[in-house]
Every structure is written in C-alpha cells, then in structure tokens.
Amino acid sequence: MLKERTSSFYSTFISLPTSLFNEDVQFDVIYKKVFFIVLSLLSEFRCALLLTEALEIFFDFLIMPINKWKLQSTHFWIFDTFMEDDDLLFGVMLAFLKIYCCLRKEDLRFGKNNPLVDMLRSELNPHKIFIKFLQQIGNDHSELLSFLVSDETCCLLYLLQYLKLLLVEWELFIEAHEIFFKFKGTTPSSSISKCVINTSLSSSCENKLVSYSCSSSSDEEYPNATVISLKNDKSLRRLSLRTISILMHLKSGIQKLVDVNEFPYNISPLIALLKLCEEKNL
C-alpha cells in the first residue's frame, strides 16, 4: 500500500505540464491550482516517512521553479506567489499547517532525531507564515475580519487550526518573530535538500541577527540593518505583543458583529480560542 501511494505521488509529478518547470513560464492561476492540489494531497498524508520523501520531491520540482531559482524561505515566496488569490493563499497556508502538525506529531512520538523532519518543520514554520501574512495585510485586523465574513476562503478553518497550535507552541510563536531580522552570513533556502546539507554549517554561524523593518516579501540586504544578540529575546517578545494585539482587535471586531447579530455564522469556537490567547499573553 505504501509503495502504491508513493508511486501515485511520483506519477503526479510526471503528469504535470513540462512548462510548469520552465523558469520563464508565467505562473498563472492554472499552475497555482496544480500546486495547491498537489500540496493538499500531501497535507492528508499520515505517514511521516512517506510525507518527508514526498516533500523533498515537492520542494525540488515545484517550489524552485515558482521561486524562479532564487533561494527564499517559505514565508516569503508563498506570498509573492499567492497573495492575489485569497482562496488559494489560505488553502496553501492551511495545507502547510497540516503538514507541519503531522511532522510535529512525529517529533513528539519518536523524539527529534530526524534532521530532515527538523528542517522541514523549520522551513514550514506556520508561526512565521502567519506573522508574514499579517505583514502582507498591513497588520490590519479588519482585513482578517473581512476574510472571516466572506465565504470565498477557508480563513475560519485555518485560524481555528492555527490558534490551537499557537496555544501549545507559545514560545515557538514568540521566537518566530525573528523573521523581522536576518541571519548574518546565511541565506534562507526553499530547497529542503540544501537545508539538510547546510545543517552542519548552521551550528558554526554567529549567534547574531541583522534587524530590518521593511515589510517587503523579497529577501534583500538593507543598508540600515543593525546586529542584535539572539540571547536577548526582549525584542522578539515586544514584536509578539503586536501580533497578539492584532488578534485581540480581531476578537473585539467579531464580538461587535455578534452582539448585533450580524455575523453570518456561529463564530464562538474562534472567539473562545482568541480569549485563550489573550489569557496566555497575560
């Protein structure tokens, strides 16, 4: 059965249009949907071993062409690619979240002894993706509210699943705000195989970050960057407070609509999770 599923997955790539892998191809909505469909299939895998093998292929053959052969972290390129397609964007974020949770269960069950799983979890970090998403919408809670009210995206399902993870990975959520900084002397990569190769190199990197405040999704050097020590996490905690404040404003906005019976569906599960986040932050 495992071989059949693996074979089926491989055949999916073989049957993809060859133009998808052309560096110069216009990545239009058709190819975005192909990407989303394959990713959604991967998100349903429950065997971590099969999932990691499939993800290696996925990153090598799909993400690099999307990325136009530039090495960027996932939380950069997904917004470059999908920001104009709300439904696909939330679908992709949800799929990555499910994959991350599957890999997380693998770590909890067997311990962190698989370098590839560790690097996949780092690359698909849903906290960084969520924080970057907020940046892309201008840290505006009303934008999130409009997505929730709309029936055109899976925003509600995504937020429900993400907030559940956030509550059990609070410290990792705070640490994820390092995306506002840039590792000195390193380059983020969307190729998992390259990440694994560079694992031994990362341990020798300086324990420093280069701070920048630009909200651009491109991976650039900024002339006014400042170096700060990773040992002092006060900056990360201050940044996390801003993210939490957005969620709290979202809760208030939802509650106002609920109070006047204008919210289109039962949103109480999300309100409950947002309240737990608020309590966790106290």
Side-chain angles (χ1 to χ4, degrees), residues 127-184:
H127 308 298
K128 292 182 179 181
I129 290 175
F130 179 68
I131 294 165
K132 193 63 184 177
F133 168 70
L134 292 181
Q135 278 189 293
Q136 293 296 309
I137 62 172
N139 294 311
D140 186 355
H141 74 279
S142 62
E143 288 288 329
L144 263 179
L145 185 58
S146 65
F147 285 129
L148 283 171
V149 173
S150 170
D151 60 356
E152 296 180 358
T153 72
C154 58
C155 180
L156 175 62
L157 182 57
Y158 168 75
L159 283 178
L160 286 172
Q161 294 200 22
Y162 173 67
L163 292 179
K164 289 177 182 177
L165 177 68
L166 169 58
L167 288 168
V168 297
E169 289 194 343
W170 192 261
E171 290 302 318
L172 291 179
F173 160 72
I174 293 174
E175 292 172 9
H177 288 78
E178 69 183 17
I179 70 166
F180 288 94
F181 307 102
K182 183 179 178 66
F183 278 104
K184 184 177 181 181

Side-chain angles (χ1 to χ4, degrees), residues 49-60:
L49 176 61
L50 178 60
L51 178 59
T52 52
E53 292 177 353
L55 281 171
E56 279 192 282
I57 301 171
F58 181 73
F59 273 78
D60 286 341

Side-chain angles (χ1 to χ4, degrees), residues 36-249:
F36 168 67
I37 290 170
V38 175
L39 187 62
S40 296
L41 290 173
L42 287 177
S43 71
E44 298 302 321
F45 283 21
R46 292 298 174 263
C47 173
L49 176 61
L50 178 60
L51 178 59
T52 52
E53 292 177 353
L55 281 171
E56 279 192 282
I57 301 171
F58 181 73
F59 273 78
D60 286 341
F61 287 91
L62 284 180
I63 293 178
M64 287 299 285
I66 293 169
N67 220 5
K68 296 184 178 179
W69 312 107
K70 295 179 181 179
L71 299 181
Q72 288 182 312
S73 294
T74 303
H75 55 272
F76 284 114
W77 63 256
I78 63 171
F79 297 106
D80 287 339
T81 305
F82 293 100
M83 196 63 202
E84 296 180 359
D85 299 278
D86 298 339
D87 55 337
L88 293 179
L89 175 61
F90 278 105
V92 168
M93 290 196 297
L94 179 60
F96 276 139
L97 176 59
K98 288 181 177 180
I99 291 170
Y100 176 90
C101 290
C102 177
L103 298 174
R104 179 177 180 272
K105 289 179 181 178
E106 175 77 359
D107 273 352
L108 292 175
R109 184 179 178 186
F110 298 106
K112 295 186 177 182
N113 56 2
N114 187 327
L116 180 56
V117 171
D118 291 344
M119 295 310 300
L120 281 167
R121 284 188 62 189
S122 176
E123 183 68 20
L124 304 181
N125 188 315
H127 308 298
K128 292 182 179 181
I129 290 175
F130 179 68
I131 294 165
K132 193 63 184 177
F133 168 70
L134 292 181
Q135 278 189 293
Q136 293 296 309
I137 62 172
N139 294 311
D140 186 355
H141 74 279
S142 62
E143 288 288 329
L144 263 179
L145 185 58
S146 65
F147 285 129
L148 283 171
V149 173
S150 170
D151 60 356
E152 296 180 358
T153 72
C154 58
C155 180
L156 175 62
L157 182 57
Y158 168 75
L159 283 178
L160 286 172
Q161 294 200 22
Y162 173 67
L163 292 179
K164 289 177 182 177
L165 177 68
L166 169 58
L167 288 168
V168 297
E169 289 194 343
W170 192 261
E171 290 302 318
L172 291 179
F173 160 72
I174 293 174
E175 292 172 9
H177 288 78
E178 69 183 17
I179 70 166
F180 288 94
F181 307 102
K182 183 179 178 66
F183 278 104
K184 184 177 181 181
T186 62
T187 303
S189 171
S190 62
S191 171
I192 293 303
S193 57
K194 288 184 175 64
C195 284
V196 175
I197 293 172
N198 290 331
T199 302
S200 60
L201 299 178
S202 62
S203 61
S204 63
C205 291
E206 292 183 81
N207 191 27
K208 293 181 178 179
L209 291 174
V210 179
S211 171
Y212 63 91
S213 59
C214 180
S215 61
S216 170
S217 60
S218 61
D219 183 35
E220 302 174 42
E221 294 289 346
Y222 296 96
N224 297 323
T226 58
V227 179
I228 68 170
S229 172
L230 274 174
K231 293 180 180 179
N232 185 352
D233 65 352
K234 290 183 179 179
S235 297
L236 296 180
R237 292 188 180 277
R238 282 197 297 269
L239 289 168
S240 69
L241 288 176
R242 183 175 68 177
T243 302
I244 294 300
S245 70
I246 297 169
L247 292 176
M248 295 308 98
H249 280 97

